[in-house]
Amino acid sequence: MNVAILGAGNVGTGLARALSTTRHGVVLAGRDPAKARKAADAAGSETHPVQSASLSDAIAQAEIVILALPFDAAEDLAKDHGFAGKIVIDPTNPVKDDFSGLALGFDTSAAERIAAAAPEARVVKGFNTLFAQVYENGPDMGGTPVPVFLASDDDAAKQAAMRIAGDAGFDAVDSGPLSNARYLEPLAYLNIQFGYMLGRGTQIAPAWLSR
């Protein structure tokens, strides 16, 4: 599948690096073409290149679009482009500017707001519970693949997102309907608390154990 990652910051570059190891085509795009080219070069390698493109070209070519942007920018982009028929993966978290908590919760989520902004898109919540730094060392922690939680009301879109996550080496976890983003986003904020406020660093990831 062709994957467009919109956003050339740490999350976008990290996701591009992780997905470049798969058979899927990966394009990185941003509002600053020079920054996007630099990020694509940093994410890819000679054997697993990442392409760069303008936002409009990347979206046009893609089957899957990943909104690797701050939530407000991602919501605005969804309103502007619509992403009709596209699978849109939302890894955003609506964290307040002062990191004191989430700006949304209880009765909605960032993912549901993005779905409302782009009603013809097939929105999947996912990749939001990991620090960008996790991608630098790969999706394996001590022999255990890092979980990626994916939620959507569109089962085919969710399965496609799970497939690319699994192909990149993550443990793709079916996390139910899109409304479960209301729980995945606070989980991501708890991970931020553990990483930054409680001193555990950024090489951590939430996981469920079972037996």
Side-chain angles (χ1 to χ4, degrees):
M1 301 188 81
N2 292 324
V3 181
I5 299 172
L6 309 186
N10 291 337
V11 172
T13 304
L15 279 169
R17 181 180 294 114
L19 296 179
S20 72
T21 63
T22 71
R23 67 186 186 279
H24 305 287
V26 180
V27 176
L28 192 61
R31 297 191 187 279
D32 182 339
K35 182 179 179 181
R37 282 194 298 273
K38 184 177 180 180
D41 290 343
S45 65
E46 193 170 314
T47 55
H48 297 95
V50 173
Q51 305 299 319
S52 64
S54 67
L55 284 173
S56 57
D57 286 346
I59 294 166
Q61 298 167 20
E63 296 157 273
I64 296 178
V65 175
I66 302 178
L67 301 177
L69 299 161
F71 163 62
D72 290 343
E75 186 178 35
D76 288 343
L77 203 64
K79 291 175 182 175
D80 291 342
H81 290 272
F83 305 122
K86 306 285 186 184
I87 297 170
V88 174
I89 299 178
D90 165 35
T92 71
N93 291 301
V95 179
K96 293 179 180 178
D97 290 342
D98 63 0
F99 277 73
S100 63
L102 297 177
L104 299 173
F106 298 110
D107 59 355
T108 191
S109 63
E112 290 168 283
R113 286 270 295 266
I114 287 169
E120 295 183 30
R122 304 163 67 193
V123 176
V124 181
K125 188 72 189 184
F127 292 101
N128 70 302
T129 56
L130 302 179
F131 286 112
Q133 292 86 342
V134 168
Y135 304 120
E136 295 174 9
N137 291 340
D140 179 280
M141 287 190 179
T144 300
V146 173
V148 168
F149 303 101
L150 297 147
S152 180
D153 294 332
D154 185 316
D155 191 61
K158 180 164 57 178
Q159 292 303 317
M162 291 179 69
R163 188 159 56 251
I164 66 166
D167 289 346
F170 295 96
D171 176 18
V173 180
D174 186 331
S175 302
L178 193 66
S179 59
N180 280 351
R182 301 175 192 181
Y183 313 119
L184 293 177
E185 290 166 13
L187 177 62
Y189 185 70
L190 179 62
N191 196 51
I192 291 169
Q193 287 285 316
F194 277 130
Y196 290 128
M197 285 68 171
L198 298 173
R200 294 185 132 189
T202 55
Q203 292 298 322
I204 60 173
W208 262 256
L209 303 179
S210 62
R211 63 183 173 189

